[in-house]
Amino acid sequence: MSSRSKASVTKRTKPIKKSLPAKQVQDFRSLLEKALTSTDHLGRSHGQSTWGVYAFYDYDGEPIYVGQTKEALGYRVRRHLTNQRTDAVAMRILDTFEVAEIELWPLWELADAPTRADKRNPEKTAAFKEAQEYLDAAEYTAYLNAIEASKFKAILNEKIPPISPSIDLPNSYRFSLITEETRAERGHPDVRIARRAETIARLAAVAHERGEVSDGLRRVLVIQAVRLAYLSAVRLAYVEGRPTPRPEAISIEGLVGSVLHESSPEDADGEAAELEF
């Protein structure tokens, strides 16, 4: 007499989504969340400031991108670095793999300002325009500071912020988004050279496939190529035992023109503008 047995079915629990990314990605997101939820001396969470400016830095502390928002700093930055739902990332201009630090300028003085114009309310429209002018000035000031701090005197903004008066920026808050373990692995020059070359290839593919792209995107392609050339030259000098090459050996202005303003009215009007989702 043969015995019959039923195979036991092992029920598996569906994993939590937060557990799915690789450890380095989890660490990055954890540090990002800690930065955005940190508070100032008044207990205000930086990421909850509706109006603000932000900047990203690479593994060398080199500024690579500056942006503004009036939809909350935390929301905007998360879209860049986690959801990847911004034009700068979608167009392969900004590689989140390269972002090692973030700097935030919450503009709390604009907390009560309307975030859009209202044709039926002239006072609200005037208040919005005044706030937007201040936001533009804050972004342009942070952009100029980033250009000055950059060894290449250029960063990866597709659209140069509108020329505005320089202002005294409020206190900023700067945070590291990578662990020492991640820095040791991703920060190796050969890893960064390979990744940067891949980023350039993707950006060039966008230009090729779309055909009609902004002048700003093509400018960023040149700047990325300069960043790759310099990183590769530094690596070569190191292995050959030579002094580190001088960044000023490459003239960004000679290659792309001025990075302090858009070169034509078409670009400034927004064809090159970053999309707001």
Side-chain angles (χ1 to χ4, degrees):
M1 203 171 162
S2 61
S3 61
R4 296 182 179 179
S5 62
K6 294 183 179 179
S8 60
V9 178
T10 303
K11 291 186 177 180
R12 299 185 62 180
T13 303
K14 186 176 180 179
I16 300 173
K17 283 188 176 181
K18 289 185 178 180
S19 69
L20 296 178
K23 184 178 184 304
Q24 288 183 343
V25 176
Q26 291 185 41
D27 290 342
F28 178 88
R29 293 183 177 182
S30 175
L31 289 171
L32 175 62
E33 198 61 25
K34 184 177 179 181
L36 295 176
T37 56
S38 61
T39 57
D40 63 13
H41 67 288
L42 296 177
R44 299 174 299 192
S45 174
H46 306 316
Q48 290 183 354
S49 176
T50 302
W51 300 75
V53 173
Y54 54 92
F56 301 145
Y57 300 83
D58 69 10
Y59 280 65
D60 297 322
E62 171 78 10
I64 54 178
Y65 190 85
V66 169
Q68 64 161 258
T69 185
K70 50 181 176 285
E71 60 179 353
L73 269 173
Y75 181 65
R76 180 64 172 167
V77 169
R78 287 187 187 95
R79 281 170 49 195
H80 271 305
L81 301 181
T82 58
N83 296 333
Q84 300 188 10
R85 290 184 59 245
T86 59
D87 203 41
V89 175
M91 296 286 278
R92 308 300 183 181
I93 290 169
L94 178 66
D95 178 16
T96 56
F97 188 102
E98 281 203 284
V99 179
E101 296 177 77
I102 186 174
E103 188 169 10
L104 306 172
W105 288 268
L107 302 180
W108 293 109
E109 55 268 57
L110 300 180
D112 297 326
T115 57
R116 58 176 61 112
D118 186 344
K119 294 180 179 180
R120 296 171 296 180
N121 189 330
E123 290 186 4
K124 183 176 181 180
T125 296
F128 164 73
K129 289 182 177 179
E130 183 178 354
Q132 183 64 57
E133 287 176 1
Y134 182 80
L135 178 63
D136 288 342
E139 182 190 25
Y140 192 64
T141 301
Y143 177 82
L144 292 180
N145 291 345
I147 294 295
E148 181 61 29
S150 167
K151 60 172 65 78
F152 309 110
K153 304 305 177 189
I155 61 175
L156 302 176
N157 282 55
E158 178 189 3
K159 182 188 177 186
I160 297 173
I163 296 176
S164 303
S166 293
I167 64 171
D168 291 328
L169 289 171
N171 290 335
S172 67
Y173 305 87
R174 188 160 170 171
F175 305 90
S176 175
L177 301 181
I178 57 173
T179 63
E180 289 304 313
E181 179 184 3
T182 299
R183 179 175 289 278
E185 182 175 334
R186 289 187 176 181
H188 190 283
D190 289 341
V191 174
R192 295 180 66 201
I193 288 169
R195 180 74 182 199
R196 197 166 291 177
E198 181 182 353
T199 299
I200 291 174
R202 290 178 176 178
L203 183 56
V206 168
H208 167 235
E209 292 162 5
R210 300 200 179 189
E212 296 181 8
V213 295
S214 71
D215 293 351
L217 186 144
R218 296 186 186 278
R219 180 181 61 241
V220 169
L221 182 58
V222 176
I223 295 171
Q224 278 286 33
V226 167
R227 287 164 50 80
L228 172 60
Y230 181 75
L231 188 59
S232 300
V234 169
R235 185 61 169 161
L236 174 62
Y238 174 78
V239 300
E240 291 184 343
R242 295 186 288 105
T244 300
R246 295 178 298 106
E248 55 268 26
I250 306 174
S251 170
I252 285 289
E253 187 171 2
L255 292 172
V256 304
S258 176
V259 295
L260 302 182
H261 56 80
E262 294 291 357
S263 60
S264 68
E266 274 189 1
D267 290 338
D269 285 344
E271 186 177 72
E274 187 173 319
L275 298 180
E276 290 284 351
F277 288 84

